[in-house]
């Protein structure tokens, strides 16, 4: 909640300006973007799963894909049917940093309305796209990661995800549309009420994709 209070007061601001941890993109804020319309419950199911990488022996190409949470019990079948001889799997990045079905360490997620035209202007400052040249983007990347960053953003896969954006400087509070809460906060009326006081215009939704407070 303290993190949310700070965001409400000042906006979502890059770590370099607020004494945050030294990340790969210290002058940017990381957000996740949906590539297609879907129900919230299906999006949560999707990112609560795992990212699998494997070598397709028939064509000799390394492939990646996300296995949704509801299909995790089919992973072994997927491996056997496709005769995968080299593979690895890990949580999606979203599952680590947003409320998810697989952990309770993160209990609050912020939903921004990107359809808003002023926010679209801010999205032009996404350093994970090629909108900013290699030379111009260099001051905004941790120097130890810069060379690999240039390679990664040219060839994105489900590990270096094209579902992620790194927006320069930050995003103002007034673009917040909703708050996603985990199971603990969903049951805590006092915290839900505080969220509504801090952000009276937002909706609050749970991990079932249901709006629980308007």
């Amino acid at each position: 909640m303290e993190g949310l209070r700070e965001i409400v007061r000042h906006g979502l601001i890059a770590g370099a300006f607020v004494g945050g941890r030294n990340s790969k993109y210290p002058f940017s804020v990381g957000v996740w973007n949906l590539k297609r319309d879907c129900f919230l419950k299906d999006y949560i199911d999707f990112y609560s799963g795992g990212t699998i990488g494997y070598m397709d022996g028939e064509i000799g190409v390394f492939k990646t894909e996300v296995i949704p949470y509801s299909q995790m019990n089919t992973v072994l079948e997927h491996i056997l049917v496709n005769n995968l001889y080299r593979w690895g799997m890990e949580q999606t990045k979203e599952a680590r940093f947003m409320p998810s079905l697989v952990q309770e360490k993160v209990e609050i997620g912020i939903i921004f309305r990107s359809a808003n035209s002023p926010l679209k202007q801010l999205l032009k400052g996404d350093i994970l796209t090629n909108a900013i040249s290699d030379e111009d983007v260099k001051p905004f990347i941790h120097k130890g990661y810069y060379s690999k960053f240039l390679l990664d953003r040219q060839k994105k896969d489900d590990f270096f995800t094209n579902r992620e954006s790194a927006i320069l400087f930050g995003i103002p509070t007034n673009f917040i549309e909703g708050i996603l809460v985990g199971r603990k906060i969903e049951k805590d009326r006092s915290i839900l009420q505080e969220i509504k006081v801090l952000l009276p215009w937002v909706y609050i939704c749970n991990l079932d994709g249901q709006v629980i407070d308007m």
Side-chain angles (χ1 to χ4, degrees), residues 1-14 18 110 112 170-176 179 194-195 197-202:
M1 278 302 297
E2 184 53 39
L4 181 61
R5 295 182 194 111
E6 284 295 311
I7 291 170
V8 171
R9 281 194 289 265
H10 305 295
L12 184 60
I13 301 176
V18 294
I110 297 173
F112 293 101
I171 302 175
T173 303
N174 59 309
F175 290 127
I176 298 176
I179 298 293
E194 181 180 356
I195 292 172
V197 170
L198 290 171
L199 298 161
W201 66 88
V202 307

Side-chain angles (χ1 to χ4, degrees), residues 1 107 181-198 204-206 210-214:
M1 278 302 297
E107 282 285 303
V181 298
R183 298 301 189 197
K184 294 178 182 177
I185 289 183
E186 179 183 2
K187 300 172 184 177
D188 192 324
R189 294 304 303 176
S190 63
I191 294 182
L192 293 177
Q193 288 169 5
E194 181 180 356
I195 292 172
K196 290 301 294 185
V197 170
L198 290 171
I204 302 174
C205 47
N206 65 12
Q210 298 175 336
V211 173
I212 58 175
D213 198 304
M214 292 293 291

